[in-house]
Each structure stands twice: as C-alpha cells, then as structure tokens.
Amino acid sequence: MVKSKLISIMGAPSSGKSTLASSVHTELKKMGKNSVFIGESASDFISEYGIPNTPIDQLVIFYKQLNKERMYLDSKDFIICDSSGILNYFYFRGLFGNTLSNKDIAIINHMQKEILKTINQWSHIFYCPPINNNNIDDGIRYHNSEEISRLDRCIKSYLEVENIKHEDLSKIELDKRTEYLISKIL
C-alpha cells in the first residue's frame, strides 16, 4: 500500500493555482513519480449546471471535491489538488446573510467539522495570492476584483485562525514556484 502525499494549492480565483498544480504534477511525472492531478469540482459543476448560487450547490461541490481527493489515497504517491474542499467553505459561507437560521448554522458547522476532520491528511498546503485582480468571466470563473480580494482575505485569515500549517507563496516568483514546490514535497 502506498502512503500518499496529499498536496493542496489554494487561493482565490486568478491566483494561478490550477496552472501551478498542473505544472507540479507534470514535473513529478517527468521524474517518474506516481502522481495524479485533481482539478476543481467547482469547474465541473459550473460547466454542467451553471454558477453555484445556493448553499446546497456549494455543499454538493464540497463533497465532490472531498471524494476526488480521497479516491487516490493509498494508490498514488502524490495527489496534487489545485483546490481543496476548504475553499468551498468560503464560497458556501458567502451565500448566507447576516441572520442565520438554526438550519444554516447546522450546515455551516457540519462543513467546518468535515474540513477539520480531514486537515491532518494534507501533507502540504500552499497558499497562492491573486495574480490578476481584474474582473474575470471566462465561463468558469465569474468574480470581480472586489470578490477576489474578499475571498483572498478569507482564505489567508482562515488558515491563520484555524492554525492550519501552510506555506505562503507570495514571496516566491511565479516562474520559480513549480521548482520550489517540487523541492518541498519530495
């Protein structure tokens, strides 16, 4: 049985996380490593159903992402994720207003509990800051610069508040990030 290294590259939209994750996976494969790239379930959902705009949509995406991440545990040496279920929490949470019903609170608590139960499975979590803070609408991403900034702040704050071990890539030049990640995960 293989002891998998689960690697998450997370950040707001337009942070380059998908490009970086794909690049890391490609380099690992070139080195002969047993690696798999796990894309965002949100992209699949948007392609099939449109923009997720309800808490239930985000919960569905969360569990799809979680299942994709778990699918290769113990069969691949490296599982490279360009997102993680953690990100769905921020999208999910943003769909609720200031007044929460008991049902809303129960759903939020459930998702938070699932995230924290799986946090120790991650070998490495890398945070990517936004690269391009312009409005994005490419059929998959649909965020304006204000939403990107807000999501970025939420992600960074959450990692710190929950004391989740991660590495901030803000000071690593874009063209050096793949090499840097490879050196950290090998």
Side-chain angles (χ1 to χ4, degrees), residues 62-129:
F62 171 76
Y63 277 109
K64 284 181 177 275
Q65 188 70 36
L66 197 60
N67 288 335
K68 282 171 98 174
E69 293 163 4
R70 290 179 176 167
M71 184 184 320
Y72 295 101
L73 283 175
D74 303 324
S75 69
K76 296 289 184 180
D77 293 322
F78 299 94
I79 303 169
I80 312 297
C81 302
D82 78 342
S83 182
S84 77
I86 294 172
L87 291 179
N88 290 103
Y89 178 79
F90 307 114
Y91 291 103
F92 177 87
R93 191 65 180 90
L95 293 169
F96 289 95
N98 292 333
T99 305
L100 299 173
S101 70
N102 286 339
K103 184 178 177 182
D104 297 338
I105 293 167
I107 293 170
I108 290 167
N109 285 341
H110 174 75
M111 186 179 256
Q112 173 71 347
K113 179 180 153 189
E114 290 299 310
I115 289 169
L116 294 176
K117 278 181 9 185
T118 62
I119 206 69
N120 290 331
Q121 292 177 347
W122 293 96
S123 301
H124 298 277
I125 296 175
F126 296 98
Y127 159 76
C128 291

